[in-house]
């Protein structure tokens, strides 16, 4: 189901120029350097083409002929692009110089063999350069050490376009080299059609800490069956593999990835709809960690105020229910929603944490149910006291933060239980039970910190209501008759009075008396009521 959904998504993204999805036979690659040639084929310079992003330098995404290079012990030279080992016969801190030299020879031979077939003056310039280039000269260009690792392309001095973008070269590539010669043919699991089957499927970018990984792989004989090697155990045609990988890479690392990707603890999550919908923008702003804080900061600087407006529209719709979903373009009932949780694994593999498919209407209803379950009446009596910050719609990252300890006032997110983020997200978007570990983690933090705040109360209330079916009111219930309930309310009123009279103190009555008041209220409350009179005297009229 995952691959089929991504395969279908490619058809939608291909029609939208904002996603810059490459057609069949091409791919988007991270280009870090450019080999600039003179018109006679001599080397002019090697330039750094990375783009500044704040204090960091990021590769430039360019569409190039061919796909992401497959791993293996053989040689697989690209066409008019590749790393410095193939293009120039040089790698910084090279531990296998002999193999690097053979890589350059394979790259050079591939292009020289095609010189007679491609009637292009620009391609002839590249061939002349490769035939005369001496790899030992690459040490004269320290820029190669700065841009490694990364891919490079060719350019002729004085021209804005790169050589691989030449129309004659691209037309030749589409006709002659857009697909490889595959030995294996069979029925594709995605399309059901018979065609060439890829032995090693394309790589997926930016999952966890790994730059490139495999979603479908069989990297040991124990996983293989019927003497089939690697991905032949899960046969996917070249076209289908290209489309699902291209679509997923567009969500993870493309120019519109901010609209579809977010990180929740150690899980990389992507989501999409089967047809264009403004709901993607609203959900992106809602799901992303610190989205609201970033939006408020940008709004203060006069930047991207639309993020705040998108959030307000979605959250307002969730509050009002189905009648407000008409504010979102499209038909939520007929629009399908998908969410995929991925995590990086060892040996360049990707693990699937969860996959969710439902209508957009059901998703919005589940979100509304989640906020209804954890809803409490905000209490502004504590003013700016950080303990009682009362967001109307607590975000997932705020809930997870409450399960981790704080170091010098900052949340130590490395201590968030690693298997909590995925189940929490799943329970929110599917309307299922909250993970039991969430309830236990919050109780442990309350016991360790000796502190209860608004978000913790909201989540505890939601767990009791959804998981155990207990009806818990949002505010004071005048109909309750239990002495324990009213004694607890009295204790809260006494602590509130202390805060109003004295403000922040080193140890409040909650810190000093909560345990004893719960165990032996008859002996503790008379003393607290006498202290209460003292606090009343200090309060202003």
């Amino acid at each position: 189901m995952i691959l089929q959904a991504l395969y279908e998504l490619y058809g939608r993204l291909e029609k939208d120029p904002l996603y810059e999805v490459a057609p069949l036979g091409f791919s988007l690659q991270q280009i870090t350097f450019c080999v600039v040639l003179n018109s006679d084929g001599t080397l002019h310079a090697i330039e750094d083409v990375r783009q500044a992003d704040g204090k960091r330098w990021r590769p430039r995404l360019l569409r190039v002929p061919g796909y992401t290079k497959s791993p293996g012990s053989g040689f697989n030279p690209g066409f008019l692009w590749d790393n410095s080992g193939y293009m120039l016969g040089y790698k910084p801190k090279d531990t296998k110089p002999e193999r690097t030299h053979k890589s350059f020879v394979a790259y050079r031979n591939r292009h020289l063999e095609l010189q007679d077939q491609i009637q292009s003056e620009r391609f002839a310039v590249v061939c002349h350069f490769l035939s005369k280039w001496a790899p030992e000269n690459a040490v004269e260009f320290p820029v190669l050490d700065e841009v490694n690792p990364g891919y490079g392309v060719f350019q002729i001095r004085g021209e804005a376009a790169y050589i691989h973008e030449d129309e004659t070269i691209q037309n030749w590539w589409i006709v002659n080299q857009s697909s490889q010669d595959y030995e294996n043919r069979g029925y594709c699991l995605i399309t059901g059609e018979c065609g060439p089957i890829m032995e090693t499927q394309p790589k997926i970018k930016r999952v966890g800490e790994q730059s490139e990984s495999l979603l479908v792989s069989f990297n040991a004989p124990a996983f293989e069956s019927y003497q089939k090697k690697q991905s032949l155990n899960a046969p996917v045609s070249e076209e289908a593999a290209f489309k699902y990988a291209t679509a997923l890479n567009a969500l993870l690392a493309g120019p519109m990835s901010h609209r579809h990707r977010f990180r929740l603890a150690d899980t990389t999550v992507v989501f999409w709809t089967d047809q264009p919908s403004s709901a993607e923008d609203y959900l992106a702003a809602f799901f992303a960690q610190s989205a609201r804080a970033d939006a408020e900061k940008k709004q203060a600087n006069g930047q991207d105020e639309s993020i705040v407006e998108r959030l307000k529209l979605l959250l307002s719709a969730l509050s009002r229910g189905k009648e407000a979903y008409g504010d979102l373009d499209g038909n939520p009932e007929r629009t399908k929603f998908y969410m995929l949780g991925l995590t990086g694994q060892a040996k360049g593999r990707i693990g699937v944490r969860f996959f969710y498919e439902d209508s957009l209407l059901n998703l919005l209803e589940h979100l509304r149910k989640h906020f209804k379950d954890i809803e409490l009446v905000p209490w502004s009596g504590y003013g700016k006291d950080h303990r009682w910050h009362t967001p109307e719609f607590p975000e997932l990252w705020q809930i997870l933060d409450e399960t981790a300890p704080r170091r010098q006032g900052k949340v130590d997110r490395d201590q968030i239980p690693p298997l909590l983020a995925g189940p929490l997200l799943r329970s929110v978007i599917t309307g299922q039970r909250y993970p039991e570990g969430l309830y236990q983690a919050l109780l442990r933090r309350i016991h360790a910190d000796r502190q209860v705040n608004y978000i913790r109360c909201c989540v505890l209330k939601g767990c009791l209501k959804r998981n155990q079916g207990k009806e818990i009111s949002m505010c004071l219930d005048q109909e309750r008759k239990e002495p324990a309930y009213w004694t607890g309310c009295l204790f809260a009123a006494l602590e509130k009075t202390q805060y109003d009279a004295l403000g922040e103190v080193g140890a409040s009555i909650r810190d000093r008396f909560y345990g004893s008041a719960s165990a032996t209220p008859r002996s503790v409350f008379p003393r607290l009521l006498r202290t209460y009179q003292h606090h009343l005297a200090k309060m202003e009229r």
Side-chain angles (χ1 to χ4, degrees):
M1 293 298 294
I2 298 176
L3 300 187
Q4 285 90 338
L6 292 170
Y7 174 82
E8 295 172 357
L9 174 64
Y10 176 85
R12 172 202 154 184
L13 302 185
E14 187 181 24
K15 301 175 184 177
D16 193 335
L18 294 176
Y19 288 88
E20 300 180 4
V21 170
L24 184 64
F26 295 83
S27 63
L28 288 177
Q29 299 294 339
Q30 297 183 347
I31 305 301
T32 59
F33 68 95
C34 176
V35 179
V36 183
L37 306 177
N38 296 312
S39 57
D40 59 356
T42 57
L43 179 63
H44 171 69
I46 299 178
E47 298 180 349
D48 185 347
V49 296
R50 294 176 299 173
Q51 298 173 313
D53 182 10
K55 296 182 179 180
R56 303 179 61 182
W57 290 90
R58 297 190 179 278
R60 186 187 302 268
L61 282 177
L62 294 180
R63 192 183 76 173
V64 298
Y67 307 138
T68 301
K69 297 168 66 62
S70 302
S73 58
F75 297 101
N76 183 22
F79 181 70
L80 292 176
W81 67 277
D82 217 307
N83 58 45
S84 60
Y86 276 98
M87 292 181 64
L88 303 171
Y90 170 80
K91 284 185 177 181
K93 300 179 181 179
D94 195 358
T95 58
K96 298 180 179 179
E98 294 182 0
R99 176 176 172 78
T100 302
H101 178 73
K102 292 179 180 179
S103 301
F104 170 71
V105 172
Y107 188 84
R108 179 181 61 191
N109 292 342
R110 180 184 187 187
H111 289 76
L112 294 181
E113 291 171 358
L114 298 174
Q115 186 172 3
D116 295 336
Q117 300 182 34
I118 304 176
Q119 302 300 319
S120 168
E121 295 181 358
R122 294 184 176 88
F123 188 77
V125 171
V126 175
C127 294
H128 184 77
F129 164 75
L130 293 175
S131 63
K132 300 297 184 181
W133 172 253
E136 56 270 16
N137 295 335
V139 296
E140 301 176 5
F141 298 91
V143 66
L144 293 175
D145 298 336
E146 299 177 9
V147 299
N148 186 65
Y151 295 124
V153 293
F154 290 105
Q155 187 180 39
I156 294 179
R157 182 184 179 186
E159 296 186 0
Y162 299 104
I163 292 179
H164 70 271
E165 296 174 337
D166 179 80
E167 184 177 357
T168 302
I169 296 175
Q170 292 215 353
N171 290 337
W172 178 89
W173 176 262
I174 292 173
V175 174
N176 296 276
Q177 298 290 331
S178 60
S179 64
Q180 305 175 23
D181 295 329
Y182 291 96
E183 299 179 358
N184 303 284
R185 297 182 65 84
Y187 287 97
C188 175
L189 293 177
I190 296 178
T191 64
E193 299 176 356
C194 185
I197 302 299
M198 299 189 71
E199 185 172 336
T200 303
Q201 297 188 22
K203 288 185 176 181
I204 307 302
K205 302 175 181 178
R206 291 183 60 189
V207 175
E209 303 300 327
Q210 302 179 20
S211 58
E212 293 182 336
S213 314
L214 289 170
L215 181 60
V216 180
S217 66
F218 298 80
N219 62 345
F223 310 130
E224 299 173 355
S225 302
Y226 300 102
Q227 298 180 346
K228 294 183 179 296
K229 298 180 180 180
Q230 296 185 3
S231 294
L232 297 180
N233 291 270
V236 177
S237 66
E238 175 201 9
E239 177 187 2
F242 165 78
K243 288 186 176 181
Y244 90 70
T246 302
L248 183 53
N249 283 330
L251 303 183
L252 287 167
M256 299 296 291
S257 59
H258 63 278
R259 190 182 182 186
H260 300 275
R261 166 195 173 119
F262 67 96
R263 189 81 178 266
L264 191 65
D266 65 337
T267 303
T268 300
V269 184
V270 292
F271 62 92
W272 69 95
T273 54
D274 63 341
Q275 52 188 300
S277 173
S278 61
E280 287 182 334
D281 289 325
Y282 310 140
L283 293 171
F286 171 75
F287 282 126
Q289 288 193 18
S290 304
R292 189 171 300 151
D294 291 343
E296 291 173 354
K297 181 178 179 181
K298 290 182 179 180
Q299 187 182 35
N301 296 333
Q303 302 174 6
D304 199 8
E305 298 181 5
S306 62
I307 294 180
V308 179
E309 296 303 321
R310 291 199 297 267
L311 278 172
K312 288 181 178 178
L313 179 60
L314 174 65
L315 299 179
S316 174
L318 291 177
S319 299
R320 289 180 286 157
K322 293 183 179 180
E323 67 277 3
Y325 297 157
D327 297 341
L328 308 174
D329 58 2
N331 188 335
E333 190 171 0
R334 296 181 180 179
T335 302
K336 284 188 176 181
F337 175 84
Y338 302 89
M339 179 172 284
L340 176 62
L342 303 173
T343 180
Q345 301 288 341
K347 298 182 180 180
R349 305 178 70 186
I350 295 175
V352 177
R353 280 283 173 86
F354 59 86
F355 178 64
Y356 172 74
E357 175 185 357
D358 204 344
S359 69
L360 183 59
L361 178 64
N362 287 340
L363 170 71
L364 296 176
E365 282 299 299
H366 292 154
L367 289 178
R368 190 164 77 94
K369 181 177 183 295
H370 161 69
F371 288 120
K372 193 68 177 177
D373 287 343
I374 67 172
E375 185 179 15
L376 288 177
V377 175
W379 184 20
S380 58
Y382 279 76
K384 298 182 179 179
D385 184 2
H386 68 277
R387 297 174 302 169
W388 292 99
H389 174 58
T390 56
E392 184 179 0
F393 299 95
E395 299 180 36
L396 297 181
W397 64 271
Q398 292 176 312
I399 294 175
L400 290 174
D401 281 355
E402 295 302 331
T403 66
R406 284 172 168 76
R407 313 291 185 191
Q408 298 178 349
K410 295 183 179 181
V411 178
D412 185 2
R413 288 179 174 156
D414 292 336
Q415 299 299 318
I416 295 176
L419 299 180
L420 192 57
L424 173 60
L425 177 60
R426 188 186 305 114
S427 66
V428 171
I429 64 178
T430 62
Q432 298 176 358
R433 292 166 57 94
Y434 293 117
E436 296 296 337
L438 176 64
Y439 186 77
Q440 299 299 330
L442 285 174
L443 290 181
R444 287 195 298 268
R445 288 268 38 98
I446 292 173
H447 179 74
D449 300 343
R450 301 179 63 82
Q451 186 178 98
V452 181
N453 58 32
Y454 177 77
I455 295 179
R456 289 177 178 178
C457 289
C458 288
V459 179
L460 290 177
K461 181 230 178 184
C463 291
L464 292 172
K465 182 177 180 180
R466 181 178 295 191
N467 292 12
Q468 302 188 24
K470 296 184 177 181
E471 284 297 328
I472 300 177
S473 60
M474 296 188 299
C475 56
L476 183 65
D477 187 355
Q478 299 283 358
E479 303 300 323
R480 296 285 294 270
K481 303 299 182 182
E482 301 93 329
Y485 179 81
W486 287 106
T487 307
C489 294
L490 175 59
F491 188 87
L494 295 177
E495 199 223 359
K496 173 66 167 56
T497 305
Q498 181 190 44
Y499 181 85
D500 290 341
L502 305 178
E504 286 283 1
V505 294
S508 65
I509 63 173
R510 178 184 59 192
D511 299 326
R512 296 178 59 187
F513 296 103
Y514 181 78
S516 57
S518 301
T520 56
R522 178 173 297 183
S523 62
V524 174
F525 270 91
R527 180 179 176 183
L528 293 179
L529 290 172
R530 288 194 297 271
T531 307
Y532 169 73
Q533 300 298 327
H534 174 71
H535 293 155
L536 283 179
K538 286 185 170 291
M539 290 178 62
E540 296 181 358
R541 183 175 180 181

